[in-house]
Amino acid sequence: MTVATLPRQLGIRETLNLPVTVFAMDKKIRNVEVTVRESSGLVRFTKPAKASLQFSGPDDQTVYFPLVVSDRSGIARFTIEVKGNGESASQQIEIDVRNPNPYQTTTHAQLVKPGQAATFNVPLIGTPGTNTVVLEGFTLPPARVTKHLNTLMNYGFGCLEQTTSKVFPLLYIPYLADIPEPAARDIRDRVSAGIQRILSMKDGAGRLTYWPRGNYHHMWSEIYATLFLNLAKQEGYVISESSLKSIMTSHKRLANEWSASKKILEEYGHYSHTLQAFRLFMLAISGEPQLGAMNRLMEEPQLPELERWLLASAYARAGKTDVSKRIVAGLGNAVSIYRDSRVTFGSDVRDLGLIVIAMQDVGDRVKGFATLKKMADLMNSNRWYSTHSLAVGLWAYASYARTVPKPESLSLTYALANGTKKQMATNQNMLKVGLPPGDVNKQKLVVTNTSKSEMYIQLSLTGKPDISEEKGYSKGISLDVAYRMPNGESVNYKRIPRGTDFFATARIAHLGASGEMLTEVALQQIIPTGWEIRNLRMDQMQITKLEQSSSKYQDVKDDRVNHFLDLAVTLDEQNKRIAQVYTIALTAAYPGRFYLPAQKVEAMYNPDFSALIPGGWVEVYDPILESD
């Protein structure tokens, strides 16, 4: 019998001593040969991956095989074979080789007339194995669709809003471009998984909680997620009828109980009417318009423009087109440049996206296109937008494309530097094709518009930046991480003995004005692949000894712990800021040299508040091996 032990992941350029333990369970076994192979090419052994062992009787021995990971990400595949005295055993292991950095996408776009060409010569983004290149041609105004989809699909957190935003636009992307079957299957799988996660957040009262197993409700996110569930059902996805009925009953009750009372205004302020309008919009789209509640909201004096558009859409969906047109008579698409990080997660792009949907519902296509162009220009800029804004913007963009007449033919020809030349055509509003990254990197790519009308031609490059490129910073939040032994003494985490149990304690403080609260903050504590996270939930005595501030939700994964919290400005008696403290328990498990990824804290809906500690290399050593 043989057992090889590996971490749950490996990192690019890391080194590791792969331990293989051989159990000789029969006394006739004397001489054993151990061979290790890796078939992907992502790992290289620094010494011959073969060893001989001698046994004098039933026993076990461990042999180590030093290896180096390449700079490419992917799946490494190990095969361990043991033979001796006519007996044999083998073991196969697959392990993910990661670059821990988040994906980034850059775009290069040109407006090309019929018969003319665009030329690109750009470098790839990121480390090998993380690169993708997508060539796109489209007639609608550019909105960096691929970049924003990548941002959403690779987003690392999963509250109710974020879970919904990751999959919401995917319902409509097939109406925007031809999707090959493997990608279409991936879309279906992602949407189905999103549906199940949202339904898992339903409580006994039919409300959707903001975090799994929580008791906090975020009203806008509940309406938003329910809107997605109903639209997914309309697109043919399977939704539990009983669960959806329970959720819808809750929303209908809240819609009909709403009034602009003092209590509601105190709780939601000027967003009270926005929440009610969005809820009525959702219910109408879902086929259950609440006309009585709609009439009461329409009677409210000085209803803002966004709320009027949402209400008009609800009346149009309910078949009351005359009323809908009367509500928005004389309205345009003027929106404020703003960012709401608490109640509705709104922005100019989010509001324009909802207005585009409403304009389609009331039949105003002229204003609808002008509004789409305005929204697309913002999405095509370098401005920061939240997951919610991006998702609503993409939903509006793809929904608009679904309703416009399809072009007679959208076609282009691309020529790679290696001589490859291909013609692509579609009847959709977007043409999309993946290109081999190695054939594009710093090489000439010529794309010719063979359509009869102007076309935006865009090249989108995605990848993960190399490790050790991070720069430390602090914007509105301070972050410090200390590593200590259980007795409180500092530990040299950069070189630590195998088997050591220790703690990583992050201290974060809000640097804003006194009394200011920063909501929806995420703290990421990511560990090297050679360390392991220990679960202290079974050790209540140890937990009581740790410094630990409260959090809304804690997400524990194999290689990281994400804490989600609100961050207040608190001062001690000396008027010094008091930090919130978050501690995780760790074990130095595998000997080798590993990369400790950057530690980061950020306000998820406000880019003005974040801090980062750059990553660096750490070593876990085995005292026994060093003494040999």
Side-chain angles (χ1 to χ4, degrees):
M1 179 180 176
T2 178
V3 176
T5 307
L6 282 166
R8 297 189 180 183
Q9 292 178 323
L10 291 174
I12 58 174
R13 303 195 195 98
E14 294 182 342
T15 62
L16 175 74
N17 288 318
L18 168 62
V20 177
T21 301
V22 178
F23 297 87
M25 306 176 74
D26 192 320
K27 61 183 180 181
K28 73 176 183 180
I29 296 177
R30 290 291 185 264
N31 299 310
V32 173
E33 281 197 353
V34 183
T35 304
V36 182
R37 297 193 305 274
E38 199 287 312
S39 60
S40 72
L42 296 175
V43 170
R44 175 177 60 86
F45 291 96
T46 57
K47 293 182 179 180
K50 183 178 288 189
S52 298
L53 302 176
Q54 287 75 45
F55 290 87
S56 58
D59 199 358
D60 64 84
Q61 293 185 42
T62 299
V63 60
Y64 293 87
F65 296 92
L67 59 84
V68 177
V69 184
S70 74
D71 62 354
R72 289 192 298 119
S73 300
I75 304 295
R77 297 176 174 86
F78 293 88
T79 299
I80 300 95
E81 294 181 341
V82 179
K83 297 180 180 179
N85 295 91
E87 302 290 336
S88 65
S90 64
Q91 180 184 6
Q92 284 80 38
I93 300 176
E94 290 190 352
I95 184 169
D96 183 34
V97 176
R98 74 174 187 181
N99 175 335
N101 288 327
Y103 281 99
Q104 293 183 2
T105 300
T106 62
T107 59
H108 305 270
Q110 298 182 36
L111 179 60
V112 182
K113 294 181 178 180
Q116 295 188 359
T119 301
F120 302 93
N121 192 330
V122 294
L124 296 178
I125 289 182
T127 56
T130 70
N131 318 109
T132 59
V133 179
V134 175
L135 175 64
E136 298 160 314
F138 43 91
T139 55
L140 292 176
R144 297 190 181 179
V145 171
T146 296
K147 173 183 171 65
H148 297 321
L149 278 176
N150 285 337
T151 296
L152 293 174
M153 291 193 294
N154 294 301
Y155 193 73
F157 307 137
C159 69
L160 181 61
E161 178 278 315
Q162 293 154 358
T163 298
T164 304
S165 291
K166 288 179 184 181
V167 292
F168 200 143
L170 299 182
L171 294 176
Y172 296 93
I173 292 303
Y175 297 110
L176 186 61
D178 294 321
I179 307 296
E181 179 51 33
R185 185 166 55 250
D186 179 60
I187 286 175
R188 292 193 296 269
D189 290 345
R190 286 175 181 269
V191 172
S192 297
I195 290 168
Q196 294 309 310
R197 180 173 170 85
I198 290 170
L199 292 178
S200 74
M201 298 185 191
K202 187 177 78 69
D203 63 17
R207 300 283 303 275
L208 294 171
T209 59
Y210 192 68
W211 291 108
R213 302 178 299 279
N215 54 17
Y216 167 63
H217 300 94
H218 186 269
M219 189 70 75
W220 185 275
S221 297
E222 284 189 76
I223 303 167
Y224 179 55
T226 307
L227 173 63
F228 162 75
L229 291 176
N230 281 282
L231 290 174
K233 181 182 177 182
Q234 293 173 15
E235 292 299 316
Y237 287 90
V238 177
I239 313 284
S240 166
E241 290 290 344
S242 59
S243 295
L244 187 56
K245 181 179 179 180
S246 174
I247 295 168
M248 290 293 287
T249 298
S250 170
H251 282 296
K252 286 186 285 187
R253 176 181 57 80
L254 291 169
N256 288 296
E257 290 177 352
W258 181 89
S259 66
S261 65
K262 181 179 179 182
K263 180 178 182 298
I264 292 290
L265 292 174
E266 285 178 351
E267 187 172 1
Y268 296 111
H270 65 280
Y271 289 118
S272 170
H273 293 80
T274 316
L275 287 162
Q276 177 68 350
F278 189 47
R279 183 185 288 108
L280 295 173
F281 168 81
M282 177 274 292
L283 290 168
I285 287 179
S286 305
E288 299 191 36
Q290 303 298 299
L291 288 171
M294 291 159 57
N295 292 337
R296 287 195 300 275
L297 183 61
M298 185 170 58
E299 293 170 359
E300 287 292 314
Q302 297 181 331
L303 204 61
E305 290 197 9
L306 175 63
E307 287 81 339
R308 290 168 66 184
W309 277 115
L310 293 172
L311 189 57
S313 172
Y315 275 106
R317 296 268 183 164
K320 308 290 185 180
T321 54
D322 291 343
V323 179
S324 69
K325 292 180 181 297
R326 190 165 63 248
I327 291 173
V328 295
L331 286 188
N333 59 14
V335 296
S336 302
I337 297 176
Y338 78 105
R339 185 190 303 124
D340 170 29
S341 61
R342 297 188 180 188
V343 182
T344 75
F345 303 141
S347 70
D348 45 6
V349 160
R350 195 281 309 275
D351 291 358
L352 288 169
L354 292 175
I355 293 172
V356 168
I357 298 292
M359 286 178 171
Q360 293 178 71
D361 290 340
V362 301
D364 195 338
R365 297 198 56 80
V366 174
K367 287 183 180 177
F369 180 79
T371 305
L372 179 84
K373 174 72 166 60
K374 186 175 182 178
M375 181 194 76
D377 288 346
L378 291 169
M379 295 177 69
N380 201 43
S381 71
N382 292 321
R383 292 184 60 191
W384 181 94
Y385 287 104
S386 72
T387 50
H388 180 53
S389 292
L390 294 180
V392 173
L394 290 172
W395 171 41
Y397 192 89
S399 294
Y400 185 90
R402 181 184 186 182
T403 63
V404 300
K406 298 294 187 292
E408 181 179 337
S409 178
L410 194 64
S411 62
L412 59 79
T413 298
Y414 68 86
L416 300 172
N418 63 6
T420 300
K421 188 174 183 179
K422 287 189 177 181
Q423 172 85 23
M424 307 295 297
T426 183
N427 290 322
Q428 297 273 41
N429 282 288
M430 176 181 285
L431 194 156
K432 189 172 184 178
V433 59
L435 300 180
D439 294 337
V440 176
N441 187 30
K442 297 181 181 178
Q443 299 184 64
K444 188 177 181 180
L445 169 65
V446 180
V447 186
T448 302
N449 178 5
T450 55
S451 301
K452 295 180 180 179
S453 58
E454 288 186 332
M455 180 195 307
Y456 292 97
I457 294 177
Q458 181 168 278
L459 192 67
S460 298
L461 303 104
T462 300
K464 291 187 174 184
D466 205 350
I467 57 178
S468 300
E469 291 184 354
E470 312 97 344
K471 303 293 184 183
Y473 64 84
S474 174
K475 297 191 300 180
I477 302 178
S478 65
L479 170 64
D480 175 74
V481 179
Y483 299 87
R484 300 186 181 280
M485 299 293 288
N487 62 6
E489 294 182 1
S490 296
V491 61
N492 179 15
Y493 69 94
K494 293 185 178 180
R495 191 172 191 274
I496 191 168
R498 179 186 184 185
T500 302
D501 291 337
F502 62 109
F503 298 105
T505 299
R507 296 178 180 273
I508 56 177
H510 187 349
L511 302 181
S514 178
E516 183 180 353
M517 173 70 76
L518 193 59
T519 60
E520 313 307 342
V521 175
L523 168 66
Q524 300 178 71
Q525 291 182 277
I526 311 177
I527 66 169
T529 59
W531 298 358
E532 288 185 344
I533 297 169
R534 287 186 291 128
N535 186 353
L536 293 180
R537 294 175 183 174
M538 304 300 292
D539 189 349
Q540 293 299 319
M541 184 174 295
Q542 182 67 68
I543 289 177
T544 59
K545 296 178 182 178
L546 295 179
E547 288 185 276
Q548 201 75 287
S549 300
S550 62
S551 57
K552 291 181 176 179
Y553 181 64
Q554 186 184 74
D555 186 16
V556 181
K557 300 183 182 297
D558 290 341
D559 65 339
R560 69 193 65 196
V561 178
N562 294 326
H563 310 265
F564 302 95
L565 54 120
D566 292 338
L567 190 59
V569 177
T570 52
L571 306 175
D572 61 16
E573 295 178 354
Q574 283 75 42
N575 213 33
K576 294 183 178 179
R577 295 177 188 271
I578 301 175
Q580 292 180 203
V581 181
Y582 298 90
T583 301
I584 60 174
L586 304 169
T587 298
Y590 299 93
R593 182 173 180 263
F594 308 98
Y595 189 74
L596 170 62
Q599 311 292 293
K600 186 177 182 182
V601 61
E602 61 181 309
M604 296 185 290
Y605 297 96
N606 190 336
D608 297 331
F609 293 88
S610 62
L612 182 141
I613 297 175
W617 291 96
V618 299
E619 180 184 357
V620 177
Y621 69 92
D622 193 324
I624 297 177
L625 291 178
E626 290 203 347
S627 64
D628 290 343

